[in-house]
Each structure stands twice: as structure tokens, then as C-alpha cells.
Amino acid sequence: MDATRGLLDDVLLANNTMEQVASPVTLWTKSGNPVGRVTISGLNATGVYRSALSVESWADAPVTNVVVRNAGIEFTGGGKAWPAEQTVKGPGVDARPLPAWGVYARHVERLTLEDVRLSVNTEDQRPVIFADAVRDLRLDNVRYPRIAGVTIRS
């Protein structure tokens, strides 16, 4: 049982550069650890090789409000299509495969992507964004490559 309980709120992650990382940002919560406002600004990540940027609630309450702005994220890609019957397993210690190569969101009140550039080195058959139980998804100047037969999924 997690001994740490309480609200994570009013968090700013600013001006971060990452190279050759498993996942650029993984934000998840479980019961007793609600997440309020989180802003990620000025993120530059290259060589992302395992998981999409993810915002996930595995509790009764959704993550309240996450903003990702002015970000450039480059993924290695090469993933296969995510089978419709396959469910996403809850997070563990390490980054895990997800049903999107760019952004994965689960049980979120509001997710805003502003001036976000997502790129992939090798075509990936998963959607760029997968939104599961996201009440308000706002996309403002989000750029990503079009891959034939693959769409945003929610």
C-alpha cells in the first residue's frame, strides 16, 4: 500500500530536454492521490523508444487539468496496430507499450495540447493520440505526420 497520500496540484515542468528516453512524461494516479493542474511547457524530447506521453487516472476521480504547450517530441516508432480487444494494463515501475505512439490519455477531465509537434522516425500503425474517457480534449496547433489508415482514436 502506498504510504503517500494527497493532492498533486499546481505543478509546472518547464524547459526540459531529453534524449534517448523510454517515455517523455508519464503522469498517473491511483486512489488517494488525485492530480489537479499540471503544466508541461518547453519540452524537447528525441529518441523516445518505449511509450507515448501519458496522462492516466486509475482512480475513481479523473486527472483534472493537464496542459502540454510548446513541445517537440520525436518517437522512434515502428509499432504495430493495437488490437481492439486488447486492454491497457495499469502502470508499473517501467514504461509500458500503449495504444498510441504520441499521446495516451485515460480518465482525464481536461487535456490541452498547444503548439505540440509530434514526429516519428519509422511509421507506426498505432494512432498518434488515444483518448479514453477524456471529457475535454483541446488541440491547438498540434502537428504530426499522417500515416495512411491511422487516425486519432477516442
Side-chain angles (χ1 to χ4, degrees), residues 15-16 21 56 63 72 90 107 123 138:
N15 303 319
N16 289 281
V21 294
E56 308 169 50
V63 171
H107 198 196
E123 282 193 359
R138 297 176 183 204

Coordinates of all heavy atoms in Angstrom, one line a residue, residues 15-16 21 56 63 72 90 107 123 138:
N15 N 10.9 23.8 -19.7 CA 12.2 23.8 -20.4 C 13.1 22.6 -20.1 O 14.2 22.7 -19.6 CB 12.9 25.1 -20.0 CG 12.0 26.3 -20.4 OD1 11.4 26.4 -21.4 ND2 12.0 27.3 -19.5
N16 N 12.5 21.4 -20.4 CA 13.3 20.2 -20.3 C 13.7 19.6 -21.6 O 12.9 19.6 -22.6 CB 12.4 19.2 -19.5 CG 12.3 19.5 -18.1 OD1 13.1 19.3 -17.3 ND2 11.1 20.1 -17.7
V21 N 15.1 8.5 -24.4 CA 14.3 8.1 -23.1 C 13.2 7.1 -23.5 O 12.7 7.1 -24.6 CB 13.7 9.4 -22.5 CG1 14.8 10.3 -21.9 CG2 12.8 10.1 -23.4
E56 N -2.8 9.6 -17.0 CA -3.7 8.5 -16.7 C -4.2 8.5 -15.3 O -3.4 8.7 -14.3 CB -3.0 7.1 -16.9 CG -2.3 6.9 -18.2 CD -1.4 5.7 -18.2 OE1 -1.9 4.6 -17.8 OE2 -0.2 5.8 -18.6
V63 N -7.9 12.7 -13.6 CA -6.9 13.8 -13.5 C -7.7 15.1 -14.0 O -8.4 15.0 -15.0 CB -5.7 13.5 -14.5 CG1 -4.8 14.7 -14.6 CG2 -5.0 12.3 -14.0
G72 N 8.2 19.6 -28.5 CA 8.6 18.8 -29.7 C 9.0 17.5 -29.2 O 9.9 17.4 -28.4
G90 N -2.6 -1.3 -16.2 CA -2.2 -0.3 -15.3 C -0.7 -0.1 -15.3 O 0.0 -1.1 -15.5
H107 N -9.0 8.7 -18.5 CA -9.8 9.2 -17.4 C -9.3 10.6 -16.9 O -8.8 10.8 -15.8 CB -9.8 8.2 -16.2 CG -10.9 8.5 -15.2 ND1 -10.8 7.9 -13.9 CD2 -12.0 9.2 -15.2 CE1 -11.9 8.3 -13.2 NE2 -12.6 9.1 -14.0
E123 N 7.3 4.7 -39.6 CA 5.9 4.6 -39.5 C 5.4 3.7 -38.4 O 6.0 2.6 -38.2 CB 5.3 4.2 -40.8 CG 5.2 5.3 -41.8 CD 4.4 5.0 -43.1 OE1 3.8 3.9 -43.1 OE2 4.3 5.9 -43.9
R138 N -8.5 19.3 -26.0 CA -8.3 20.5 -26.8 C -7.0 20.5 -27.5 O -6.0 20.3 -26.9 CB -8.3 21.8 -25.8 CG -9.6 22.0 -25.1 CD -9.6 23.1 -24.2 NE -10.9 23.2 -23.5 CZ -11.4 24.3 -22.9 NH1 -10.7 25.4 -23.0 NH2 -12.5 24.2 -22.3

